[in-house]
Amino acid sequence: ASLDKATALREKQLAEFNAEEKDLLESISALKSAVTVLSKHNGGAAGFLQVPRSHMMGVAATLQNEMNKHASLLQGVLTRSERKVVASFVQAPQDYFDAAPTFKQS
């Protein structure tokens, strides 16, 4: 009985992990696609600066949502400095690229 309970628990945890992983991978894919399209239409990183404020805010909101939703999965993946960069962008996406480039942004 204990083995059956443990097996059922592990199967449930695996299903939850697989669902979270799928969602996170879809979000990453969507963000990569957005960057690719923006780069092609707007000439690389400089073009990203010309993205309408509403789009930039949408990217920031999506990023923040995914970071919050998958915080436990990302715990050992992102370094402290990478989390700071994300937080900086999420807090002020319209100003992020206007700031003087740092090693974190390049």
Side-chain angles (χ1 to χ4, degrees), residues 42-78:
N42 297 309
F48 197 66
L49 299 176
Q50 299 172 14
V51 172
R53 178 183 166 100
S54 61
H55 288 70
M56 190 73 75
M57 299 300 281
V59 170
T62 298
L63 183 57
Q64 182 175 23
N65 180 53
E66 294 305 321
M67 292 290 290
N68 292 338
K69 186 175 182 180
H70 302 291
S72 61
L73 288 174
L74 297 171
Q75 188 77 31
V77 177
L78 297 177

Side-chain angles (χ1 to χ4, degrees), residues 17-71:
F17 170 81
N18 287 337
E20 284 185 28
E21 181 183 42
K22 180 182 176 201
D23 185 49
L24 188 56
L25 290 173
E26 287 173 357
S27 295
I28 291 169
S29 178
L31 290 170
K32 280 183 181 179
S33 295
V35 169
T36 300
V37 168
L38 291 170
S39 294
K40 286 181 182 177
H41 290 320
N42 297 309
F48 197 66
L49 299 176
Q50 299 172 14
V51 172
R53 178 183 166 100
S54 61
H55 288 70
M56 190 73 75
M57 299 300 281
V59 170
T62 298
L63 183 57
Q64 182 175 23
N65 180 53
E66 294 305 321
M67 292 290 290
N68 292 338
K69 186 175 182 180
H70 302 291

